Amino acid sequence: MMYFLIIILIIVIFVIFNHLNHRVQKLEKEISDLRKEFTGSTVRQIKDIKETEEPDMESSVPVQHQEQELPATSSALPLAEDLPHQPKKDHLAVIAEFLKQNALTIAGIFTLVLGIGYFVKYAIDRNWLGETARAAIGFVAGAAIITVSHFLRKHYAVFSSIVTGGGIAVFYFTATIGFREYHLFSQNTAFSVICLITLVSLSLSYYYKSETLIIFSLFGGFLAPLMISTGASNYLFLFTYITVLNIGMLIIAFLKNWKSVGWIAFVFTSIYLLFWTVEKTEISGVYFYLVGYLIFYLFALQDYFKKDILPSSDILMLVLINFTSITGLVYIFNTLQYGPVIIFPAGFALVNLGLLFREYSRKNFGVPYSVFTGIAAGLITAAFALQFQAHLITSVWAIEATLLIFIWKKTGHTIFRSCFYVLFPLVICAQIISWTEYIDAKSLAVLLNPVFLTSFITVVTTFVNLILLRKSTGNNKGTHLENMFTIISYLIIYFAFLFEILYHIASKPQTVIFSMAMLFSICYIFLLLLFRKKLNIRTLLEIPLLYLFLVFIIINTSTAGTGLVSDYLIKKIPADYYMVYLLYSIPFIYTLVKILPVSDFFSTRISYWLIAAAAVTAVSFEAYHLYIIVNADSGADLTMLGKHFSLLYLPIIWAVAASLLIYKGLKTHRTEYSRAGFSLLALMILKLYAYDVWEMDNVSRIIAFIILGIILLFSSLIFQRLKKIISNIMDKKNEHSQENPE
């Protein structure tokens, strides 16, 4: 019965699409005929104009005079430097525009893949298919999707890339389900199949010259080990595979200059290496850190070697790969008690010194020279800090940095300020190394311990630096360097106290630790906002602090409070911890009433949405916490009561909150509140719809997803065609207006 329903629905959709396609083709033909008629009439008009004007021009202007005037005309053309500069490419805007233009396609292919996956699972559960057919149906579906997208690639390149990525996702999904859930393949066979899929997808992306497709391929390639994992820690095999994948990434990055592939590979590789380093510390990890360092260093330097430039993204990659590599290698050596650890920062420093010497020999003292100098100096300093006692070095450097800025204030010589900005990052590095001693330290006294005393000296000197710099700056904006220094200084003070608190409550449950960390973070930001005038916190920093404060409120109420309630019900913690958690409401209410109205927080539209989200989230979760505490007798009641609250009380709370937001927007003439209220109502309806869909039986769910996915994809294709037609009409109109200016 299910087969007949799907066939009938697909036929109906095909008829509808064929009808729409016929209408679009008819529209294209009409536009083509109009274009030909319009072009013909335009050519005749131009010809008539030329015939009437040429005799007069020839009789009135001598040939020699015309030849003399040509250079003058050409000299009047604007020079290259006079042309307006092209605006810089905003990558976030490009991504947003891509998502906006292709949201229908992405949603359609995702829904279709989900529907096919559920269909395969349903067919396997019902034993409709044999083992060979079970594996084949997914691969045939993926191949069909890729084949269709192949024929669409000429006219709809982006659409074709997304659809091809969906077909590759079907391949990965089928291979994973076949191995993990139904054991249709052995692990070696499954891994070979997934490697083959990755190789095919990389080849297709290179053939199609599609960066979108290679992103799909990289995600699949790096997630492949997780898809076929059995829990065995075969890290040597894993990182051999990842190294080969990174080498392929590096080759494609050099051939196509696609920076996104390198960053994706770096993020995945760093996560895998970090997990391996912590989970199972082995000396073999050193080799993969070094190989990864070489690969990503070459990736970051490709523009340097090709174009002799070093963009900011590549500089960031150089800094990150040095930091992550040093951190991992030092952790391995310290854990396994190898030595000396100085060889790694010293060795990496030699690499950068070699590049620095290259710049010096070329007498090129631009950005690359400064970058290599800074990285080399930082690595050399880190080597000494690792080899000797970090506490003494951190304190001495912190005091020296304050002394430098004090001398600059007294003498006015900018050389001392420049030296301060060079030394201060070294203080930060040394302080981070000091904080790592919290990990293995045992029975440290509260506050009166070497680690916190070192942090305290850094905090005091940093605060003095802020005061000295504040007196030297008269405007309310400050330079980018001064703003960055201010942010880093407040972060140092924050982490100094946070790590001390976390160390002394480390024996408590995880929910208590997280709750205390969030409460401290909220109170710390609140104090900065409360004394923002005395601390001379500029508007440029005040608004981000308010954003961060509201984000922490959302995280605290949704995560920390819920965890504490759960632990209280299972008798893991007393009720006192929840009462301490509720202290966040004091700074939250004070900020809403006193600080926000007199700040520049509402200068952007997103501010209204964020404050609405924070208030609705806090009210919703506190109502949920109160409902659970009052009605639950034990942890066993939590699931049932949570479901009951979500179905019955949460829609009421959201409806009331939405009404209040709409009312506030109308009363204060701030439309963003009203929009937030209507969006909350839409979210409530979407929640009901989404929940109802997932309550359906498997057959209805499969049909719904497959049909919805096909409809979305067909709609997207029609949209792409109409957009292309409209674009051609507008281009032709612009050409006509240029040829016949009024």
Side-chain angles (χ1 to χ4, degrees), residues 13 42 140 160 176 215 220 238 242 279-280 297 354 401 472 482 520 524 537 552 559 609 631 640 672-673 685 700 715:
I13 292 172
T42 304
V140 169
S160 174
T176 305
I215 290 174
L238 168 65
I242 289 178
E279 181 73 14
K280 189 178 180 182
Y297 229 68
S472 66
E482 290 168 350
F520 170 75
Y524 179 76
I537 294 179
F552 278 167
T559 306
W609 292 79
N631 294 280
M640 181 189 67
E672 294 304 321
Y673 281 131
I685 297 171
S700 302
S715 302

Side-chain angles (χ1 to χ4, degrees), residues 34-46 49 727-742:
L34 289 173
R35 184 185 299 167
K36 290 179 181 179
E37 183 180 352
F38 175 78
T39 305
S41 62
T42 304
V43 170
R44 286 194 299 271
Q45 292 176 4
I46 294 174
I49 293 172
S727 177
N728 290 335
I729 293 173
M730 296 302 297
D731 292 342
K732 196 66 182 178
K733 183 178 179 181
N734 292 334
E735 291 177 4
H736 175 64
S737 62
Q738 291 176 1
E739 292 175 358
N740 301 283
E742 294 182 359

